[in-house]
């Protein structure tokens, strides 16, 4: 029996912990409560081929098309092929998907050729999955749960990860030894001023992995969801609402997406997000609106209960009037580079879910593929650690990166001596303006200069998170400046077209230590 540490308690962490605990002892670490994660906020659902009129081949095609030429095709095949069996496993674990006429109900989202998005509790899919998995994890014999415990840094010996340094709830730093560490700590929406992600999404796992010397990939690709409520306390308005027929309107009440893409309001996310951003700039920053008034109040209440409640809480009646929406940072396609079994470039360390980059999403994730990715790849990683026979070609004991052209960049992970302490809000504004939906060389260079003039300070959880965000901002800006083309979610106004030179080129990031201690908050 091995001892495995899992960091993070969204769908990826819970599945990794649950499955691995069948043969190993597991410590599951989460910096908030067990049920606090990005997963619980996922609305639209989870895409999988569960119907006779659909096919895995078409799901693969849709995923590749959305990924704008950059997907790792092997990862896409794994995702779409293994997805249906994993959905059946979720049902076995207690997730109750919505049903209609005796079969699974399914919705349509952007860039899917068929309705194949399963949902639960209407628009509470993430919450339903999280609740069932938390129950299963709490009932598992071999899992020790450490809540309110912050993972600071990985412990390394002879280039192998041997454990984790944590900040315990009592404020003490401790070292936990492990035979394997699985990072499942999610994305970093808090890099941006506007985000659909909860406050816990500060990219701690990606930052920690980079400091330990792991390779990152595709970090320039951050997906912006087109429709978040444009009111304080940003709230996601699921793409499934447009899938059911809602349309976007400009300030004059006119539809504008039809002129921009044949799929209009259901065009790929990057296209809709940019279309909205352009329209907002033409109407002096005023948000556009989403018109769902063609649907009845009863339908909206039962199909989208969470959104309905969020609107009502803000005094909006979306059955009778369009609601204001704006794009917001939603999902990071890049992350810790892994193979198809969650192995990273560091022995003893694995990564699954949004923290990882298998390349499955390429330059732009297809709607509702993220819960599926977490489920499928966390399961595979657990299978690997359980020694369940992987296919012959996967038997290699070490990380085997995808065999694609790549360029390697270095990013400074330490702080310059004269730097001043970074303010998190200022960092988020800078990223929104310079490395958001649209980027260009001038803005990215100015952002890079500003980021170099900031340093992190302090040793509270919030300060350690900010240190992670600062490192990741540098990483993202460095990679975005290097990709001299537009592709998927990475849109350069100075290079508005995709370029053959960058087609399938993977930008990999390595840390270069500047001058300070490697560990976050060390010496504070
Ligand atoms: C949504 O419900 O629009 C979000 C689903 C996703 O991000 O895949």
């Amino acid at each position: 029996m091995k001892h495995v540490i899992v960091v993070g308690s969204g769908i990826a962490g819970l599945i990794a912990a649950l499955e691995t605990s069948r043969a190993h002892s597991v410590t599951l670490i989460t910096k908030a409560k067990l049920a606090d994660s990005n997963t619980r906020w996922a609305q639209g659902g989870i895409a999988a081929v569960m119907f006779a009129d659909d096919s895995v081949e078409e799901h693969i095609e849709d995923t590749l098309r959305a990924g704008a030429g950059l997907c790792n095709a092997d990862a896409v095949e794994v995702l779409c092929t293994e997805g249906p069996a994993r959905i059946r496993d979720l049902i076995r674990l207690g997730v109750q998907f919505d049903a209609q006429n005796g079969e699974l109900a399914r919705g349509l989202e952007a860039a899917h050729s068929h309705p194949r998005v399963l949902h639960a509790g209407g628009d509470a899919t993430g919450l339903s999955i999280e609740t069932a998995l938390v129950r299963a994890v709490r009932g598992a014999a071999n899992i020790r749960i450490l809540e309110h415990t912050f993972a600071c840094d990985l412990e390394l010996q002879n280039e192998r990860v041997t454990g984790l340094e944590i900040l315990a709830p009592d404020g003490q730093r401790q070292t936990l030894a492990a035979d394997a560490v699985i990072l499942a700590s999610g994305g970093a929406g808090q890099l941006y001023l506007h985000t659909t992600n909860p406050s816990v999404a500060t990219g701690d796992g990606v930052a920690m992995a980079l400091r330990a010397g792991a390779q990152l990939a595709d970090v320039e690709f951050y997906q912006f969801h087109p429709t978040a409520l444009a009111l304080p306390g940003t709230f996601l308005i699921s793409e499934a609402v447009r899938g059911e027929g809602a349309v976007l309107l400009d300030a004059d009440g006119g539809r504008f997406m039809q002129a921009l893409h044949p799929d209009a309001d259901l065009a790929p996310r990057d296209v809709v997000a940019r279309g909205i951003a352009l329209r907002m700039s033409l109407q002096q920053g005023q948000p556009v609106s989403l018109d769902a008034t063609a649907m009845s109040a009863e339908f909206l209440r039962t199909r989208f209960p969470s959104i309905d409640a969020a609107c009502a809480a803000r005094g909006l009646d979306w059955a009778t009037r369009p609601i204001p929406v704006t794009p917001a940072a939603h999902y990071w396609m890049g992350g810790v580079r892994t193979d198809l079994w969650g192995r990273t470039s560091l022995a003893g360390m694995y990564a699954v879910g949004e923290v990882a980059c298998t390349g499955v999403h390429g330059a732009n994730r297809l709607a509702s593929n993220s819960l599926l990715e977490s489920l499928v790849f966390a399961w595979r990683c657990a299978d690997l650690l359980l020694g369940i026979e992987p296919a012959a070609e996967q038997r290699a004991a070490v990380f085997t990166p995808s065999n694609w052209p790549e360029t390697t960049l270095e990013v400074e992970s330490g702080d310059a001596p004269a730097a001043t302490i970074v303010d998190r809000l200022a960092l988020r504004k800078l990223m929104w303006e310079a490395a958001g939906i649209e980027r260009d060389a001038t803005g990215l260079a100015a952002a890079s200069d500003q980021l170099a003039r900031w340093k992190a300070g302090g040793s509270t959880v919030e300060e350690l998170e900010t240190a992670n965000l600062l490192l990741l901002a540098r990483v993202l800006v460095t990679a975005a400046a290097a990709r001299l083309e537009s592709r998927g979610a990475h849109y350069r106004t100075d290079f508005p077209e995709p370029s053959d030179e960058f087609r399938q080129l993977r930008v990999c990031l390595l840390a270069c230590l500047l001058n300070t201690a490697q560990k976050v908050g060390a010496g504070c």
Side-chain angles (χ1 to χ4, degrees):
M1 185 183 264
K2 290 182 176 156
H3 180 230
V4 179
I5 294 178
V6 176
V7 183
S9 61
I11 179 173
L14 295 172
I15 288 289
L18 204 55
E19 281 304 295
T20 307
S21 76
R22 287 166 50 202
H24 302 303
S25 77
V26 173
T27 300
L28 176 56
I29 291 176
T30 182
K31 68 179 176 179
K33 291 207 290 279
L34 193 60
D36 288 335
S37 69
N38 231 341
T39 295
R40 84 187 292 267
W41 297 100
Q43 294 179 1
I46 181 163
V49 172
M50 307 296 288
F51 308 94
D53 62 359
D54 195 2
S55 71
V56 167
E57 290 68 32
E58 285 166 291
H59 191 188
I60 290 175
E61 262 173 45
D62 294 346
T63 303
L64 292 172
R65 199 176 320 107
L70 200 78
C71 291
N72 174 355
D74 294 336
V76 175
E77 189 176 336
V78 164
L79 178 82
C80 301
T81 308
E82 298 183 10
R86 296 292 84 81
I87 294 288
R88 287 190 282 277
D89 286 322
L90 269 193
I91 294 171
R92 183 177 51 74
L93 285 166
V95 178
Q96 289 186 336
F97 289 106
D98 296 333
Q100 200 174 22
N101 306 326
E103 59 174 28
L104 288 167
R106 50 173 160 165
L108 178 66
E109 288 183 13
H112 284 275
S113 55
H114 291 277
R116 62 167 76 96
V117 179
L118 311 181
H119 46 85
D123 58 1
T125 314
L127 181 61
S128 305
I129 293 174
E130 184 81 14
T131 305
L133 294 181
V134 162
R135 196 180 309 120
V137 160
R138 286 208 187 276
N142 281 343
I143 304 179
R144 178 170 72 129
I145 299 165
L146 299 181
E147 293 178 299
H148 301 289
T149 299
F150 187 79
C152 302
D153 266 305
L154 293 149
E155 291 287 313
L156 283 159
Q157 269 172 29
N158 303 325
E159 297 182 25
R160 186 183 172 85
V161 171
T162 55
L164 196 63
E165 187 180 359
I166 58 161
L167 189 60
D170 64 2
Q172 297 301 308
R173 286 205 182 220
Q174 294 170 18
T175 301
L176 303 181
D179 298 299
V181 174
I182 304 178
L183 297 179
S185 46
Q190 294 298 323
L191 271 173
Y192 289 99
L193 185 59
H194 303 290
T195 178
T196 61
N197 292 184
S199 59
V200 290
T202 51
D204 308 319
V206 185
M208 195 165 38
L210 184 66
R211 281 192 297 271
Q215 283 184 26
L216 310 185
D218 294 354
V219 291
E220 63 274 37
F221 298 104
Y222 216 109
Q223 182 173 78
F224 295 85
H225 196 289
T227 55
L229 208 48
L231 289 172
T234 317
F235 191 86
L236 175 67
I237 306 295
S238 175
E239 200 155 88
V241 176
R242 277 173 285 132
E244 296 286 0
V247 293
L248 291 158
L249 302 178
D250 63 19
D252 298 326
R255 290 186 67 181
F256 56 91
M257 280 310 303
Q258 289 156 316
L260 300 179
H261 195 278
D263 293 336
D265 303 274
L266 282 178
R269 270 187 194 170
D270 60 306
V271 176
V272 183
R274 275 201 307 282
I276 294 175
L278 173 65
R279 192 55 45 163
M280 284 174 66
S281 72
L282 294 175
Q283 50 193 47
Q284 287 71 49
Q286 219 186 310
V288 299
S289 50
L290 183 70
D291 185 357
T293 58
M295 292 174 255
S296 72
E298 174 58 17
F299 177 80
L300 290 174
R301 197 165 34 248
T302 49
R303 175 69 179 87
F304 301 111
S306 317
I307 301 173
D308 195 66
C311 287
R314 291 161 176 83
L316 302 174
D317 178 3
W318 67 324
T320 57
R321 297 190 59 167
I323 52 174
V325 291
T326 178
H330 186 58
Y331 182 90
W332 206 359
M333 273 71 73
V336 182
R337 189 181 191 187
T338 70
D339 64 12
L340 302 181
W341 298 91
R343 286 177 295 211
T344 70
S345 59
L346 285 182
M349 188 184 90
Y350 303 78
V352 291
E354 191 174 347
V355 69
C357 177
T358 57
V360 72
H361 305 303
N364 193 24
R365 175 175 67 79
L366 184 67
S368 286
N369 265 357
S370 61
L371 291 174
L372 189 70
E373 171 208 12
S374 294
L375 175 63
V376 166
F377 288 99
W379 206 287
R380 286 171 73 86
C381 183
D383 276 355
L384 184 81
L385 292 174
L386 293 176
I388 293 177
E389 286 292 289
E393 79 274 15
Q394 303 295 352
R395 291 280 194 85
V398 293
F399 164 73
T400 39
S402 52
N403 187 20
W404 282 22
E406 60 187 51
T407 182
T408 302
L409 306 174
E410 293 195 337
V411 68
E412 289 162 358
S413 73
D415 302 317
T420 57
I421 299 286
V422 61
D423 169 70
R424 197 192 284 196
L425 185 60
L427 173 76
R428 295 177 65 188
K429 280 186 183 151
L430 179 75
M431 290 299 285
W432 182 256
E433 278 152 24
I437 298 171
E438 293 185 349
R439 299 106 188 244
D440 67 21
T442 313
L444 289 166
S448 178
D449 288 349
Q450 179 56 65
L451 291 168
R453 288 197 292 272
W454 279 332
K455 68 178 175 187
S459 54
T460 66
V461 167
E462 199 182 330
E463 287 161 339
L464 298 178
E465 287 175 341
T466 304
N468 288 337
L469 289 171
L470 177 60
L471 174 58
L472 298 179
R474 290 176 182 158
V475 157
L476 198 152
V477 165
T478 303
R483 184 172 282 279
L484 306 179
E485 66 159 357
S486 290
R487 185 175 297 279
H490 170 72
Y491 188 79
R492 294 272 309 240
T493 50
D494 47 354
F495 296 96
E497 298 300 325
S499 135
D500 274 350
E501 194 195 332
F502 283 89
R503 208 173 86 80
Q504 297 205 335
L505 184 80
R506 196 126 265 158
V507 177
C508 297
L509 265 291
L510 294 175
C512 135
L513 301 176
L514 190 61
N515 59 0
T516 52
Q518 180 178 354
K519 289 187 173 184
V520 66
C524 299

